[in-house]
Amino acid sequence: MENFAKYARQIALDGFGEDGQRKLAASKVALIGVGGVGSAALPLLAGAGFGEIALADFDRVSEHNLHRQTIYRADSGGLPKAELAAQYACALNPDVRVEFFDGKLTSENAGEVLGGALLCIDATDTFESRGEVSRICAGRGLNLIAATAAGFVSQNFFFGDGFYFDAVADISDSAHLPRGLPIFPPAAHLSGVWAASAAIKYAVYGDYEVGRFSMFDAKSAKFFSANIS
């Protein structure tokens, strides 16, 4: 039985209750990428009490990551992000079972990473990786939130039910697109917070609108949201 006192403030939310907490505890979410966006989503997913979280990332921590990837420390340089992120999540909430994969999500490991997942959050940072995650989730019929950020702009795309990333962007020849774009740290974090919020609401309330696109420009303080499906 869950320690419901631990989650008292969210259980008190309208329509949440102990049943909602049990739904979270029985749910798995997959988080692909634990950089700036992923490191904002992960504490909320773990803290809320998802029963299982699968993490995948091939990267190592670099000094230039630390201004936005706030689950890592100054002495984490060169260490694998997936493993460190898993340690962070387990320390934050021992109720959660965390599996980590020190590598990219591929068609070969998709069954292990995504098997049993209610939802996948793509927090990777290139069109190439987003395209691959989208293709894999489409093949499995798995709902996918693509959580992205660049410059001052945060974005969330809700995919599923046959509507995936290739419907909104040409990702067939994306390897040449620029990498390492400038990033405002709060923009990355807002994107991750949005995605975590959507994942928790989906697990508890069943809310999920395929085709929903939301964007916020932190520099101009302008928000936009529409269904683009």
Side-chain angles (χ1 to χ4, degrees):
M1 176 66 68
E2 288 285 343
N3 175 8
F4 290 122
K6 180 177 181 177
Y7 305 105
R9 297 290 289 273
Q10 65 192 36
I11 286 174
L13 290 166
D14 185 35
F16 201 116
E18 292 183 0
D19 285 346
Q21 195 61 49
R22 290 188 184 96
K23 289 178 183 178
L24 271 180
S27 298
K28 172 182 174 179
V29 62
L31 178 61
I32 313 303
V34 279
V37 174
S39 69
L42 180 60
L44 297 174
L45 299 171
F50 265 95
E52 185 175 351
I53 301 174
L55 306 174
D57 199 309
F58 69 93
D59 204 4
R60 270 51 182 162
V61 178
S62 299
E63 184 180 29
H64 65 82
N65 298 150
L66 299 178
H67 77 117
R68 67 194 184 283
Q69 300 180 20
T70 52
I71 64 174
Y72 308 119
R73 308 184 315 186
D75 61 358
S76 299
L79 298 176
K81 291 181 181 179
E83 182 176 4
L84 292 179
Q87 292 171 358
Y88 178 95
C90 289
L92 177 64
N93 190 351
D95 290 347
V96 181
R97 186 163 70 92
V98 184
E99 294 182 295
F100 71 89
F101 301 85
D102 183 14
K104 297 181 179 181
L105 175 68
T106 67
S107 56
E108 288 73 28
N109 66 19
E112 195 175 3
V113 179
L114 302 178
L118 175 72
L119 178 76
C120 179
I121 297 173
D122 177 6
T124 63
D125 60 1
T126 70
F127 271 95
E128 189 176 9
S129 60
R130 289 171 201 150
E132 182 63 13
V133 173
S134 179
R135 281 189 290 269
I136 291 170
C137 288
R140 301 179 66 88
L142 181 64
N143 284 345
L144 166 69
I145 299 175
T148 73
F152 290 89
V153 177
S154 313
Q155 297 179 329
N156 267 199
F157 299 83
F158 285 32
F159 296 122
D161 196 22
F163 180 78
Y164 286 90
F165 211 96
D166 57 358
V168 298
D170 181 6
I171 54 179
S172 60
D173 184 24
S174 57
H176 68 284
L177 294 173
R179 298 169 184 253
L181 295 172
I183 183 69
F184 183 53
H189 277 227
L190 176 58
S191 185
V193 168
W194 276 355
S197 172
I200 295 166
K201 289 192 298 179
Y202 183 34
V204 175
Y205 298 102
D207 292 347
Y208 191 85
E209 183 184 353
V210 171
R212 174 59 54 186
F213 167 70
S214 299
M215 178 178 72
F216 181 73
D217 185 331
K219 192 171 185 179
S220 64
K222 291 183 178 179
F223 174 76
F224 172 81
S225 186
N227 191 305
I228 59 174
S229 63

